[in-house]
Amino acid sequence: CGRGPGGCRGGRTDMALRCAASLAAGRQPRGPRREGAMRWSSAAKPSAVKINEKASREKILTLESMNPQVKAVEYAVRGPIVLKAGEIEKELRKGIKKPFTEVIKANIGDAHAMGQRPITFLRQVVALCTYPNLLDSPSFPEDAKKRARRILQGCGGNSLGSYTASQGINCIREDVASYIERRDGGVPADPDNIYLTTGASDGISAILKILISGGGKSRTGVMIPIPQYPLYSAAISELDAIQVNYYLDEENCWALNVNELRRALNEAKAYCNPKVLCIINPGNPTGQVQNRKCIEDVIHFAWEEKLFLLADEVYQDNVYSEGCQFHSFKKILYEMGPEYYNNVELASFHSTSKGYMGECGYRGGYMEVINLHPEIKGQLVKLLSVRLCPPVSGQAAMDIVVNPPVPGEESYAQFIKEKESVLNNLAKKAKLTEDMFNKIPGVHCNPLQGAMYAFPRIFIPSKAIEEAKAHKMAPDMFYCMKLLEETGICVVPGSGFGQREGTYHFRMTILPPVEKLKILLEKVKDFHIKFLEKYA
């Protein structure tokens, strides 16, 4: 601002204050005035002006003017049922009486929020990376310090606070490649095909973004399992792609049938260009573990139909049932021979959030993308560079998942004890949940072969279905809302994941401690029996 006449310290400041005061009093401002609207002066005190609400202009951003693709996005895991649970929690804190004393959020796979203890070694390494002065502390084991130093050497300025390459820290990508080779029995992995991501979700969204193109009947179709994890339907809606549903076989432990894939593909060709096939193994929300023959059939189908494969394998450590084993799509693809291995385009995803780690908050993950066209590889790196880099603490956490203590190292005994404790506990809870659900009349639960959820089928009487319609709710949403309001248990209705018409389910995590899980299951049992009695 200038000074003197016409400047901020001249007569205009006083005039602005007088105008503001006159407006506040409902009078017309006095003094010299130019044509047109009076200019706002930053010198006027905001409190001196009373804003006339009726005179305020229309908002630029409204439900009508917003991006319609964003408005179409739905994410059931944090949908209306969870918002209602939050409201009830606030009411409980205010002392409002309910038939329960707490809300049990069994809607999401957040292990630490449910009481699971962090893996000591992982936290030690991340702590050392975050505060390197601790490297001189005798309280930390040498194998943790060794990994922390290596990670820090890969960071600019030896600091976790610096940006990294968009693809992630190079030494961590090397560790991911080594992990994949060990996991898959020597199948080669190239660090240049590894992309560190903000959880697996970031990688899945990025790959879908680069795959989707065309318009009208040539618009990209994305084949997803039903039931599915709502990230997929949400990303497809946001990107204005075409969702192509294929149904898992509930009567056969949620198996994936290639004949069903073919049906879905052939029907979709009438209205879009299906070119992406998504597989979740182990399944979310269904918990099935695909056997080797099934994976071979899927790979052959993708090769035959020229489909880009997305393999969501974030639950690869979570396999519980006897006779079940995790097989990576990459490994089976390699073993099927060069005709497949050199041609089928495959993106595989993993994360720190699940498994035995449960480190959801670090948002660590990676994807391995093979057989990508060299020019597309450059486009993918460009796309990822827009978000600069994934969280560096999450990259460090991911490194410990793929580079844990080995026999002979100081921390190995404690690490393996903690890891096995978590996985054995989850296996016990998977069996407990299956058994207890199957004792409830009108409830059927398939074996929980893997992952960390139950997806039981529930019988809802026609009278309850009619009442749900009167409340403009899906029947299973009505059921889950009643369950929440009467027991404090928050689960997600099956309609949020997709299900065959006329069937109803809900998804519930098995993560609560065993004793709390037993109480939760007993409450569900009591509620369901009363629900049937009321609406029968």
Side-chain angles (χ1 to χ4, degrees), residues 71-84:
K71 189 159 61 171
V73 168
E74 293 184 2
Y75 189 64
V77 175
R78 294 198 175 190
I81 200 90
V82 183
L83 297 177
K84 181 66 176 178

Side-chain angles (χ1 to χ4, degrees), residues 194-228:
I194 308 297
Y195 304 80
L196 301 183
T197 56
T198 307
S201 303
D202 174 50
I204 293 165
S205 297
I207 288 292
L208 286 175
K209 195 175 288 186
I210 208 164
L211 275 164
I212 290 165
S213 63
K217 289 187 177 181
S218 66
R219 189 65 175 164
T220 298
V222 182
M223 299 180 69
I224 64 171
I226 297 296
Q228 52 104 21

Side-chain angles (χ1 to χ4, degrees), residues 361-383:
Y362 277 121
R363 309 307 301 131
Y366 76 75
M367 61 180 174
E368 181 187 24
V369 191
I370 62 172
N371 291 325
L372 208 56
H373 190 289
E375 291 178 358
I376 293 298
K377 202 168 186 175
Q379 293 295 318
L380 178 58
V381 172
K382 178 186 75 174
L383 176 65

Side-chain angles (χ1 to χ4, degrees), residues 219-407:
R219 189 65 175 164
T220 298
V222 182
M223 299 180 69
I224 64 171
I226 297 296
Q228 52 104 21
Y229 178 51
L231 162 69
Y232 291 93
S233 54
I236 290 165
S237 293
E238 184 182 353
L239 296 169
D240 198 23
I242 307 299
Q243 179 174 316
V244 179
N245 297 338
Y246 66 87
Y247 289 88
L248 301 177
D249 184 0
E250 184 173 10
E251 306 306 318
N252 191 22
C253 285
W254 299 109
L256 195 166
N257 188 304
V258 170
N259 290 332
E260 169 61 13
L261 289 179
R262 200 170 303 281
R263 176 208 62 78
L265 179 81
N266 290 336
E267 288 182 8
K269 284 178 178 177
Y271 55 86
C272 69
N273 175 25
K275 65 179 183 183
V276 187
L277 173 57
C278 302
I279 310 289
I280 308 173
N281 181 45
N284 175 12
T286 46
Q288 85 285 4
V289 178
Q290 306 292 356
N291 62 39
R292 183 189 180 92
K293 175 66 166 59
C294 175
I295 295 172
E296 287 176 349
D297 290 345
V298 170
I299 290 172
H300 177 75
F301 176 78
W303 173 81
E304 188 178 43
E305 298 292 345
K306 296 183 179 178
L307 298 172
F308 195 112
L309 265 176
L310 303 189
D312 183 339
E313 298 175 336
V314 301
Y315 296 99
Q316 59 189 258
D317 289 307
N318 301 105
V319 177
Y320 315 123
S321 292
E322 283 188 32
C324 288
Q325 181 184 350
F326 171 75
H327 301 281
S328 79
F329 268 74
K330 164 89 176 292
K331 180 178 187 287
I332 304 302
L333 178 62
Y334 185 83
E335 292 173 351
M336 288 176 72
E339 189 174 11
Y340 293 94
Y341 184 68
N342 293 329
N343 290 292
V344 175
E345 293 153 275
L346 169 69
S348 307
F349 307 91
H350 196 16
S351 166
T352 62
S353 301
K354 309 304 176 185
Y356 58 90
M357 307 79 65
E359 294 283 8
C360 305
Y362 277 121
R363 309 307 301 131
Y366 76 75
M367 61 180 174
E368 181 187 24
V369 191
I370 62 172
N371 291 325
L372 208 56
H373 190 289
E375 291 178 358
I376 293 298
K377 202 168 186 175
Q379 293 295 318
L380 178 58
V381 172
K382 178 186 75 174
L383 176 65
L384 295 174
S385 70
V386 173
R387 53 91 157 117
L388 296 175
C389 67
V392 188
S393 56
Q395 295 186 49
M398 192 73 242
D399 188 63
I400 306 314
V401 176
V402 298
N403 184 26
V406 296

Side-chain angles (χ1 to χ4, degrees), residues 28 32 52 97 153 166 170 174 226 272 282 298 318 323 430 446 513-514 528:
Q28 290 295 316
N52 185 338
K97 296 295 181 184
Q153 285 167 6
S166 299
N170 189 58
E174 290 173 354
I226 297 296
C272 69
V298 170
N318 301 105
N446 273 323
V514 172
H528 188 77

Side-chain angles (χ1 to χ4, degrees), residues 85-146:
E87 291 173 12
I88 291 173
E89 282 184 316
K90 288 178 184 176
E91 290 172 356
L92 286 171
R93 285 195 290 269
K94 290 177 182 176
I96 297 173
K97 296 295 181 184
K98 301 282 180 184
F100 46 87
T101 57
E102 66 170 332
V103 171
I104 302 175
K105 290 186 176 177
N107 62 294
I108 195 165
D110 190 350
H112 292 188
M114 286 290 180
Q116 182 179 307
R117 304 302 302 163
I119 298 296
T120 302
F121 188 77
L122 187 150
R123 287 296 181 93
Q124 286 174 330
V125 175
V126 175
L128 290 163
C129 289
T130 305
Y131 189 59
N133 288 3
L134 294 173
L135 288 164
D136 297 324
S137 169
S139 301
F140 288 80
E142 282 304 316
D143 48 359
K145 291 178 181 179
K146 179 183 175 182

Side-chain angles (χ1 to χ4, degrees), residues 63-80:
L63 284 173
E64 289 71 34
S65 67
M66 73 174 287
N67 185 333
Q69 271 64 62
V70 174
K71 189 159 61 171
V73 168
E74 293 184 2
Y75 189 64
V77 175
R78 294 198 175 190

